Amino acid sequence: MTRAATRTSGPFLAVLIGLAVGIATLTATAAAKAPDPAQTSVGGQPLTSIPTGKGLPVVVRTGLFVNNIHSFDDNQGIFEATTDLRLTWFDTRLRYPAEQGLHGYKEYRASAAEEELAKMWTPRIRHLNRDGEPSFTERRLRLFPNGLVEVIARTTAIYKVTVDTTKFPFDHQSLPIEIMVQEDTIETVDMDFTSDDVAFSRVAKSVEVGGWTPGLVNLDRSLVKGWNGDRYAKVIVSTEVQRVAADAISTIFIPLFASLLIPFLATWMNKAEDGEFEVEAFELGNVIIGGLFAVIALSFTISSSYPALMSGDNTVTRLLALNYVALAFGTIITVVFYRYRLPAAWFGPHVQEQAFRFLTWAFPVLFIATGVAFVMVAAA
Amino acid sequence: MKFRTSSSAVMIGSVIAVITMVSFVSYLISHRMTGEFEEKQFRLMGQIMQSKLHGAEGKAIAAAEMLAATPAVRKAFAAHNRTELLAATQDAYRIQHEKYGISQAQFHLAPAVSFLRVHNPNTFGDDLSKARQMVIEVNRSNAIRKGIEITSSGIGIFGTMPVADEAGKPIGSFEVGMDVAPLLDEIKKAYGFEVGFFVDEKILRDTATHIKPDIFSDQNRVGSFVKFNATHPDLLKALVSDGNINVTEQTHYLQEVNGVPYGVLLQPVYNYAKKPIGVMAMAANFTETRSADGQAVVWQILLALVSGILQIGVILVMVRGKILRPLEVLNERVAALAEGAEGRALPEALCGEMRVLAKSCERLAARASTGDDKGDTP
C-alpha cells in the first residue's frame, strides 16, 4: 500500500520538490540581486510599508518649482498656479546595481509612474490650503541606485492665501503652498529641505502676474498639532510677490485725495470781513453734506471692487477715515463759526476773524499732510 | 520794524526751532534704538555661527574618538594593514555619513601622510603636509586639534586626534570631517537666517583637487571667491557681491532684494593655520526694524508739523486777535482824541486792560482839553 502510494504520488512529489527548489533559487536570486520595484515585498515586508532602512523618521525632502502663476486675486484671497512639487526620500529596499539605470536612474512617467508608485511606499501628503481638486496632475518617478526615490508632481490648482493689506499699495504678499504629512506623525515621517531643495524652489523666469512682480521662493518648516500631543510635519513653500504700486495710485488714491479737498471748501469758499462772514452756514453745510455722500459712495465703490482693502487697518481705510474726520471738522467749522459764531461770542470778533484766517490754510495743510503721512508709513 | 510782524516772527520762529529740535532729538533716539537692536542682531548672528562651528568641531572629534577607540582599528592601524583598517571602519563611517553629515574620515602617518581615506579608499599615500598644518600639529604635539580645513576632497570641519597602539606608542593620527552644508541648513532651520559659504577660488583650486569642477562655474563666482554652500543660492547671490565680499574682519551692511531689506553679516573664515580661506555670509530679514525706523521718521515729522501748526495758530490768533487788532482799534480812537474828536462808546471786542487804557486816554484827552481852556499854569 505504501509502495502503491509512493508510486502514485511520485510525479507529484517530484513537482513539489522542483517547486521548492525553484522557490529557494528565486529567493536566493532575490537576495543576491537588488529588488525590482515591480516586486511587492522584500524579506516578507511589503514595499508599501514604511521604509526603515535608514531608521525613523523617514525624512521626506521637499522642493517646489513654480512653473506658472496663472492668476492672483488678492480680493478673494486665492491664486492659481502650476507647480512641480519634488519629494525625495530613501527607501533602501529599492536599491539596485548602478548599471541598471539608463541615465544613473530609472524613470517612470505619467501612468507608468502611477503603476510603480502604487507598489511602493509613498508619503501621504496633503495640501492644506488647496481650494478644491487640482485641474491637472501628472507625476514622474525616478529611482536612483542608492535607494533615493524622487517623485515630481506637476499640478495646476487653486490655493487659498491670507492677504495682508496693511502696507497697501507697497505691500509684499506670500503665496503659500502648505504641504503636510497626514496620518504619520513626525516620529515616523518628517519633512525637511536642504540647500539643494531651496535651489530647486524658484519661480520660472517667464512667469508674469498681472499687477504683481514675482520674487523669491522661500521654504519654511512647521508643525501641525494633532490629538494627544501628536505632531505632523509641514513645509510651507512661499512665493513672494510685490504689488506694482503705480496701478493703485490712479484708481484708488487720486479719488481719496480728491474727496479730501471737499471739506476744505468750507473755509475756502467763505470770507470774513469785520467779524462778519460773506457766505451763509446753510450753503456751506450743503457742500459738506455733498462731500459726505461723495465719500460714502467712494467707500462703497472701493468695498465692492476691492473688498480685501476694506477689512483691517491699511492706507485706504485710514484715508477714508481721514475723509470722514475732515468732513466732521468742516461741519464743526460751519456750525461753530458761520451759524453760531461762537468764537466771536466767547473771545470777540477779532479772535474769530484771525481763527478763520488761520483755518483757511491750517485745515488743508494738516489733513493733506496726515494723508501723505499715511501713504509714507505704508511705503516705509 | 512793526510789532505786528516782529513779535509774530519771533514767536513762530522760536516755536519752529524748538519743535524741530525736539523732533530731531526724538528721531535720533528712536533711530539709535533701532540701530542698537540691529547691531545686537548682527552680534547674535556672529555668535550663532561661531557656536555652531565649535559645535560641529566637537561633533567631529567625538565621532573620531569613537571610531578610533576600538581595538580592531588600533590593531589594524598599528600593523599598517589598510584592508583590515577599512573593514573595521567603513560600516561605521557609512552610517555616520548617511545620518549625521560626516563626509570625510582619514588615517595619517606622521608627519602628515595619508594612510587611508575611509571615504575614498583608493587614494592614499600622498603627503598632506603642504595643506594640512593641523595634521602635522597633531602628530607633532600628540594632542587633539580642531578647525576648518580644505582637503583634496573639499572643505570640512575637522576633529583630528592622535592614535596610539595598545602600548601607548603613537602610530599616527585620525580625523573626521563634517560637511559644512548640514551646518548651514541647521542654522537656517533653527534661526531662520540664510547662510552662504564663499571660498577663495585659488586656494580651493590648488588644494581641493578631487572636488566636482562645477563648483567653479561662473554662476558660483563672486569676485575671487566661489559660492561653496548656500541655504538660499538666489538670495545670497543678490546679497553678496564682489564689491563687498573682500573682508578681513567681521563686517555687516544692509541690502535690499526685491524691496525686502536684509541685514548681511560677513565673517572671514580662517583655516587651522590662520590663513583666510573664505567668507561666511549670514543674512536676516530686517523688514520689521527698517520699517519701524521709517515709520518713526514719518510719524515724528507729522507730529512736529501738527504741533507746530497748532502752536503757530494759537500765536497768530491770540496775538493778532487779542492784542494787535484791538491795538489798531485803540490806536484809531486815541488818534481821533488827539485830533480833538469826542469820546465814543468803547467796542465790546476790547479786553479789560484795553478798555482801562482807552478810558485813561479819554480822561487824559478831556483833561488836556480842560487845561487848554484854562491856559498854562506855571
Side-chain angles (χ1 to χ4, degrees):
Chain A
M1 183 148 174
T2 316
R3 275 184 194 168
T6 313
R7 264 202 309 274
T8 319
S9 60
F12 183 66
L13 258 175
V15 169
L16 264 179
I17 290 165
L19 236 153
V21 168
I23 288 169
T25 316
L26 255 176
T27 315
T29 315
K33 278 185 188 174
D36 191 317
Q39 271 184 257
T40 52
S41 70
V42 171
Q45 193 189 23
L47 282 176
T48 50
S49 67
I50 192 155
T52 53
K54 286 212 164 196
L56 291 178
V58 176
V59 178
V60 179
R61 280 175 37 198
T62 312
L64 188 131
F65 178 74
V66 181
N67 268 301
N68 201 357
I69 300 173
H70 305 286
S71 62
F72 171 35
D73 187 340
D74 54 330
N75 290 307
Q76 288 188 44
I78 52 168
F79 70 96
E80 186 179 14
T82 298
T83 57
D84 288 344
L85 173 65
R86 185 178 77 175
L87 300 174
T88 49
W89 67 91
F90 275 96
D91 189 340
T92 52
R93 299 168 299 185
L94 301 176
R95 280 178 178 161
Y96 60 88
E99 56 271 20
Q100 286 183 16
L102 193 60
H103 307 289
Y105 51 81
K106 290 178 179 175
E107 186 174 86
Y108 305 89
R109 289 169 182 270
S111 54
E114 295 304 328
E115 276 177 33
E116 291 305 316
L117 286 165
K119 296 172 196 165
M120 54 191 272
W121 179 87
T122 52
R124 281 178 281 258
I125 297 295
R126 182 179 156 207
H127 290 74
L128 280 175
N129 64 327
R130 195 164 67 193
D131 190 11
E133 289 302 309
S135 56
F136 172 80
T137 309
E138 187 176 307
R139 292 203 285 183
R140 190 199 70 188
L141 168 68
R142 276 183 183 171
L143 299 172
F144 292 83
N146 60 353
L148 180 73
V149 182
E150 178 190 279
V151 177
I152 293 189
R154 177 162 292 184
T155 311
T156 301
I158 294 170
Y159 300 90
K160 292 174 192 166
V161 52
T162 306
V163 178
D164 178 11
T165 56
T166 312
K167 292 211 148 196
F168 178 86
F170 306 101
D171 51 331
H172 293 76
Q173 301 296 337
S174 286
L175 307 184
I177 294 179
E178 297 177 13
I179 305 146
M180 72 166 279
V181 175
Q182 59 178 9
E183 294 190 32
D184 293 310
T185 61
I186 198 162
E187 291 80 16
T188 315
V189 181
D190 194 5
M191 292 189 92
D192 199 358
F193 52 85
T194 64
S195 50
D196 179 50
D197 300 306
V198 177
F200 175 81
S201 304
R202 61 186 195 280
V203 181
K205 282 181 183 167
S206 58
V207 169
E208 285 180 4
V209 193
W212 298 87
T213 310
L216 299 169
V217 175
N218 292 309
L219 298 173
D220 193 19
R221 288 179 85 208
S222 183
L223 290 171
V224 177
K225 286 180 184 170
W227 291 317
N228 304 324
D230 284 349
R231 294 170 307 158
Y232 300 91
K234 176 173 137 182
V235 166
I236 305 165
V237 187
S238 307
T239 307
E240 299 295 324
V241 288
Q242 184 179 9
R243 192 188 295 272
V244 180
D247 293 356
I249 286 170
S250 57
T251 51
I252 296 177
F253 286 95
I254 289 176
L256 278 168
F257 274 97
S259 62
L260 193 59
L261 300 177
I262 298 170
F264 306 150
L265 295 175
T267 53
W268 289 344
M269 299 300 285
N270 213 342
K271 197 176 176 186
E273 203 68 58
D274 293 330
E276 296 297 320
F277 291 105
E278 279 189 359
V279 182
E280 287 298 315
F282 171 73
E283 292 175 46
L284 293 168
N286 276 344
V287 172
I288 299 290
I289 296 300
L292 181 64
F293 282 122
V295 175
I296 290 170
L298 184 59
S299 165
F300 270 113
T301 308
I302 293 172
S303 65
S304 58
S305 303
Y306 308 96
L309 291 175
M310 297 306 285
S311 58
D313 178 24
N314 58 55
T315 320
V316 173
T317 51
R318 285 178 185 186
L319 282 174
L320 276 170
L322 188 70
N323 267 282
Y324 285 115
V325 173
L327 285 166
F329 200 71
T331 311
I332 290 168
I333 291 173
T334 307
V335 172
V336 170
F337 278 74
Y338 314 146
R339 175 68 183 87
Y340 295 109
R341 298 168 202 272
L342 291 177
W346 291 335
F347 306 108
H350 302 314
V351 171
Q352 176 170 281
E353 189 183 326
Q354 292 303 322
F356 175 75
R357 282 187 183 176
F358 166 70
L359 284 174
T360 51
W361 63 268
F363 177 29
V365 167
L366 283 176
F367 278 83
I368 288 173
T370 308
V372 172
F374 287 162
V375 178
M376 300 284 284
V377 161
Chain B
M1 185 182 272
K2 280 187 171 182
F3 176 72
R4 178 186 174 85
T5 48
S6 64
S7 63
S8 302
V10 168
M11 284 189 273
I12 289 169
S14 61
V15 162
I16 289 172
V18 169
I19 287 174
T20 306
M21 199 175 69
V22 169
S23 301
F24 186 66
V25 171
S26 166
Y27 163 70
L28 285 180
I29 291 168
S30 69
H31 184 67
R32 194 175 159 186
M33 284 166 69
T34 310
E36 279 175 1
F37 181 80
E38 288 178 349
E39 282 292 330
K40 272 185 191 169
Q41 182 83 341
F42 281 125
R43 274 202 297 277
L44 184 70
M45 287 159 78
Q47 284 164 0
I48 286 168
M49 176 52 74
Q50 288 304 323
S51 156
K52 287 287 173 187
L53 283 173
H54 289 315
E57 287 170 2
K59 280 181 193 171
I61 198 68
E65 296 231 40
M66 199 172 285
L67 269 170
T70 52
V73 171
R74 283 167 184 263
K75 193 178 165 190
F77 192 26
H80 290 194
N81 189 333
R82 194 170 283 113
T83 313
E84 265 187 34
L85 190 58
L86 179 64
T89 51
Q90 64 182 359
D91 283 348
Y93 169 76
R94 187 178 51 77
I95 292 166
Q96 297 272 330
H97 174 63
E98 287 177 355
K99 287 188 174 177
Y100 304 108
I102 283 171
S103 58
Q104 299 183 42
Q106 187 173 195
F107 290 88
H108 324 98
L109 297 173
V113 177
S114 172
F115 179 72
L116 171 67
R117 287 182 172 91
V118 185
H119 58 279
N120 185 13
N122 298 325
T123 312
F124 55 85
D126 44 325
D127 184 11
L128 310 172
S129 52
K130 196 179 168 191
R132 301 299 311 279
Q133 184 65 36
M134 188 157 75
V135 178
I136 298 171
E137 186 71 17
V138 169
N139 283 302
R140 190 182 59 77
S141 63
N142 208 28
I144 284 170
R145 294 286 184 266
K146 298 177 276 185
I148 296 181
E149 292 268 86
I150 302 181
T151 68
S152 60
S153 310
I155 300 175
I157 302 158
F158 288 93
T160 310
M161 56 170 288
V163 184
D165 61 14
E166 285 176 0
K169 186 187 164 196
I171 47 175
S173 57
F174 175 59
E175 69 179 2
V176 161
M178 301 199 73
D179 255 342
V180 179
L183 177 81
L184 307 191
D185 288 333
E186 199 179 306
I187 292 173
K188 177 174 176 165
K189 277 174 215 161
Y191 304 99
F193 301 144
E194 300 294 352
V195 196
F197 186 27
F198 299 83
V199 184
D200 189 300
E201 185 176 354
K202 191 175 178 305
I203 298 172
L204 194 64
R205 272 187 192 277
D206 291 348
T207 317
T209 47
H210 293 99
I211 203 167
K212 285 180 184 172
D214 56 357
I215 195 94
F216 299 107
S217 67
D218 286 342
Q219 207 179 356
N220 277 343
R221 190 167 290 117
V222 183
S224 59
F225 294 81
V226 287
K227 189 172 74 231
F228 193 76
N229 294 110
T231 55
H232 201 314
D234 289 347
L235 179 63
L236 281 152
K237 191 180 170 187
L239 289 174
V240 183
S241 64
D242 51 356
N244 48 29
I245 197 169
N246 284 304
V247 292
T248 50
E249 57 184 24
Q250 184 169 304
T251 183
H252 58 75
Y253 57 89
L254 289 169
Q255 179 86 31
E256 261 193 27
V257 177
N258 295 331
V260 180
Y262 287 90
V264 184
L265 178 84
L266 297 180
Q267 260 187 350
V269 177
Y270 297 88
N271 65 3
Y272 177 76
K274 302 299 169 204
K275 187 179 175 187
I277 55 167
V279 173
M280 198 69 85
M282 292 180 86
N285 189 330
F286 273 24
T287 303
E288 284 186 17
T289 49
R290 289 288 96 199
S291 178
D293 194 44
Q295 287 187 22
V297 175
V298 175
W299 288 127
Q300 276 157 2
I301 291 173
L302 182 67
L303 278 174
L305 188 74
V306 170
S307 55
I309 286 176
L310 290 179
Q311 292 204 38
I312 289 168
V314 170
I315 290 168
L316 289 176
V317 171
M318 297 315 288
V319 170
R320 288 185 177 174
K322 276 288 185 186
I323 302 169
L324 293 174
R325 185 69 187 125
L327 262 180
E328 279 177 18
V329 174
L330 193 62
N331 203 18
E332 283 171 19
R333 288 181 64 86
V334 174
L337 284 172
E339 293 297 323
E342 287 290 315
R344 287 175 290 168
L346 288 168
E348 288 294 321
L350 290 182
C351 62
E353 292 86 343
M354 294 270 182
R355 295 175 79 88
V356 172
L357 183 61
K359 281 180 182 169
S360 301
C361 287
E362 279 175 8
R363 280 207 306 277
L364 195 63
R367 201 172 149 194
S369 66
T370 316
D372 281 348
D373 294 343
K374 289 178 180 174
D376 292 338
T377 48

